[in-house]
Amino acid sequence: MKDVFSPFKIKNLNFKNRFIRSATHDWLGNEDGSISERQIALYKDLAIGGTGLIMSGHSCVEFPRGRAGIKQNRIDDDRFIDDYRKMSDIIHENGSLFAVQISHAGAQTNKDAINNLEPIDHNTMDIDDINVLTDAFTKAALRVRLSGADAVCVHMAHGYFLCRTLFSDSNKREDEFGKSIANRSKIALKIIDSVRSAVGKDYPIFVKLNSTGGTGEGHVGIEELVGVSTLLDEHGVDLIEISGGAVGSKDNPIDRLNILKIEDEGYFLERAKVVRKNVSSPMSIVGGIRSLSLMNEIIGSGVADFISLSRPFIREPDLVTRLKNGQEKVSCISCSKCRNFDGIRCVFNK
Ligand SMILES: Cc1cc2nc3c(=O)[nH]c(=O)nc-3n(C[C@H](O)[C@H](O)[C@H](O)COP(=O)(O)O)c2cc1C
Ligand code: SF4
């Protein structure tokens, strides 16, 4: 019977277990967007701690317009490749795999982050601008591959640019990029296809996908989610990580607090189950998963192939080793007080 400690393979990647440290922006980066020594130390600890794959925090593909906030890492220029090579090397030396999440903030940013420019409006941007962003994602993905990281993850969740293009609650376009599921998926698929042609057919491309719509408010219909996931699957993505919510919505993943009872865990599970029935690509699920028994149930039943966790790894970077040694659930109480603009830190850790 497969469980969270069973190995898995995606293309040439051999996962030693089913744990993914999900993307976590840490406010530890240097002001210029490069990777800091504190980040290297954090990722080294996570790798030593035994997780199968570590996903970087969202790294912006265009600067400054694509930046979501200060101290965010950047991948919009070749000069950042060496930083990611250093990160890849330290993670590999300590036994984990590494993926880099690439992202454009779109409308979900603030003027300080984008040097007082106008944020991108996904509803009014023209084809030239769509091409500019496609090129930005493509070059960023190529940089990820050149750095030696094991996979690239295209961020389509939490209300950032691509998330808002995909769903009817946020995409109000009347042209060929709006009105139907197929049309709304066009920008994301154009980017996936372009990334694929740049990184090659053997390189794993992951996506983090919202299951609740573009802004996460009100939850779009399940047929939209199935439609988008099916198209991503058909376009050859190698892993779909199911998430939901957006900054400011009631479902914002980091505003889901006090997940202490098992019945409160895994709040995107029902939506993930529907996606699972419709796609053949490997899947992960993220969002408030806390108990080893639930993790094993998810993996054992095949609803997902991976369990992604964020906050639990902030409190316990060695969580996987602990669970393997008999701990039954994470110690994190989901208070989100680790969200510290001077650098993430669990308030319970000395
Ligand atoms: C401090 C912090 C930063 C985060 N940064 C990102 C990010 O860069 N990209 C992303 O896709 N999700 C990000 N998330 C969301 C997590 O990956 C995850 O989806 C969410 O926290 C729910 O999982 P959890 O309940 O295990 O924490 C962040 C979460 C936290 C707590
Ligand atoms: S501060 Fe600590 S216990 Fe609270 S959510 Fe963050 S990691 Fe978990």
Side-chain angles (χ1 to χ4, degrees), residues 311 314-315 332-338 345-348:
R311 289 167 290 178
I314 300 175
R315 182 154 186 180
C332 169
I333 59 163
S334 314
C335 62
S336 284
K337 288 184 181 155
C338 41
R345 198 176 62 84
C346 177
V347 292
F348 296 101

Side-chain angles (χ1 to χ4, degrees), residues 216-266:
E217 260 333 336
H219 291 202
V220 298
I222 209 81
E223 70 284 357
E224 283 199 44
L225 174 62
V226 169
V228 169
S229 333
T230 311
L231 286 165
L232 288 167
D233 191 28
E234 284 168 12
H235 282 249
V237 301
D238 298 291
L239 179 83
I240 300 178
E241 186 183 46
I242 296 290
S243 186
V247 174
S249 84
K250 64 176 167 31
D251 259 347
N252 185 17
I254 48 181
D255 291 336
R256 304 284 292 231
L257 305 179
N258 306 319
I259 308 158
L260 301 173
K261 300 196 291 274
I262 196 158
E263 52 272 28
D264 294 333
E265 294 186 28

Side-chain angles (χ1 to χ4, degrees), residues 284-321:
S284 188
I285 172 155
V286 65
I289 300 168
R290 301 291 181 258
S291 304
L292 184 59
S293 58
L294 179 63
M295 297 175 195
N296 279 330
E297 198 181 308
I298 292 169
I299 301 297
S301 65
V303 171
D305 307 289
F306 293 93
I307 303 294
S308 298
L309 306 163
S310 169
R311 289 167 290 178
F313 279 117
I314 300 175
R315 182 154 186 180
E316 297 167 301
D318 58 346
L319 177 65
V320 175
T321 309

Side-chain angles (χ1 to χ4, degrees), residues 151-178:
V152 63
C153 175
V154 180
H155 197 352
M156 301 189 184
H158 305 165
Y160 294 110
F161 169 64
L162 280 173
C163 183
R164 290 185 185 216
T165 64
L166 285 170
F167 297 104
S168 59
D169 59 346
S170 45
N171 180 332
K172 303 296 177 193
R173 296 183 74 107
E174 290 289 322
D175 63 359
E176 59 165 319
F177 299 108

Side-chain angles (χ1 to χ4, degrees), residues 62-317:
E62 192 192 35
F63 182 82
R65 280 195 316 178
R67 194 160 75 148
I70 53 157
K71 297 192 195 165
Q72 187 182 356
N73 290 125
R74 291 170 52 184
I75 188 126
D76 59 293
D77 191 283
D78 287 352
R79 73 176 188 275
F80 297 109
I81 295 175
D82 281 348
D83 278 14
Y84 283 98
R85 185 171 296 121
K86 199 167 162 191
M87 191 73 107
S88 297
D89 288 349
I90 199 97
I91 289 170
H92 291 155
E93 280 160 24
N94 290 287
S96 285
L97 300 173
F98 180 46
V100 180
Q101 186 185 59
I102 59 173
S103 176
H104 195 291
Q108 193 169 270
T109 184
N110 60 77
K111 291 258 175 167
D112 286 345
I114 59 172
N115 299 355
N116 285 317
L117 294 178
E118 274 307 307
I120 288 234
D121 183 341
H122 55 280
N123 282 323
T124 55
M125 67 195 294
D126 62 18
I127 186 67
D128 290 340
D129 226 359
I130 291 171
N131 287 335
V132 166
L133 292 210
T134 303
D135 190 52
F137 270 100
T138 306
K139 287 185 174 141
L142 190 55
R143 289 181 194 113
V144 172
R145 176 164 196 168
L146 292 173
S147 76
D150 301 289
V152 63
C153 175
V154 180
H155 197 352
M156 301 189 184
H158 305 165
Y160 294 110
F161 169 64
L162 280 173
C163 183
R164 290 185 185 216
T165 64
L166 285 170
F167 297 104
S168 59
D169 59 346
S170 45
N171 180 332
K172 303 296 177 193
R173 296 183 74 107
E174 290 289 322
D175 63 359
E176 59 165 319
F177 299 108
K179 293 188 291 194
S180 66
I181 294 171
N183 282 357
R184 288 195 297 273
S185 302
K186 270 186 188 166
I187 298 176
L189 296 176
K190 180 178 163 69
I191 287 172
I192 291 295
D193 291 349
S194 178
V195 165
R196 172 61 74 206
S197 58
V199 298
K201 65 178 178 13
D202 298 329
Y203 194 70
I205 302 175
F206 301 167
V207 297
K208 186 163 182 174
L209 182 66
N210 249 32
S211 60
T212 55
T215 57
E217 260 333 336
H219 291 202
V220 298
I222 209 81
E223 70 284 357
E224 283 199 44
L225 174 62
V226 169
V228 169
S229 333
T230 311
L231 286 165
L232 288 167
D233 191 28
E234 284 168 12
H235 282 249
V237 301
D238 298 291
L239 179 83
I240 300 178
E241 186 183 46
I242 296 290
S243 186
V247 174
S249 84
K250 64 176 167 31
D251 259 347
N252 185 17
I254 48 181
D255 291 336
R256 304 284 292 231
L257 305 179
N258 306 319
I259 308 158
L260 301 173
K261 300 196 291 274
I262 196 158
E263 52 272 28
D264 294 333
E265 294 186 28
Y267 31 84
F268 300 124
L269 199 49
E270 289 314 308
R271 293 208 154 215
K273 283 181 186 167
V274 183
V275 176
R276 174 76 291 169
K277 289 197 184 109
N278 290 279
V279 305
S280 58
S281 71
M283 280 177 54
S284 188
I285 172 155
V286 65
I289 300 168
R290 301 291 181 258
S291 304
L292 184 59
S293 58
L294 179 63
M295 297 175 195
N296 279 330
E297 198 181 308
I298 292 169
I299 301 297
S301 65
V303 171
D305 307 289
F306 293 93
I307 303 294
S308 298
L309 306 163
S310 169
R311 289 167 290 178
F313 279 117
I314 300 175
R315 182 154 186 180
E316 297 167 301

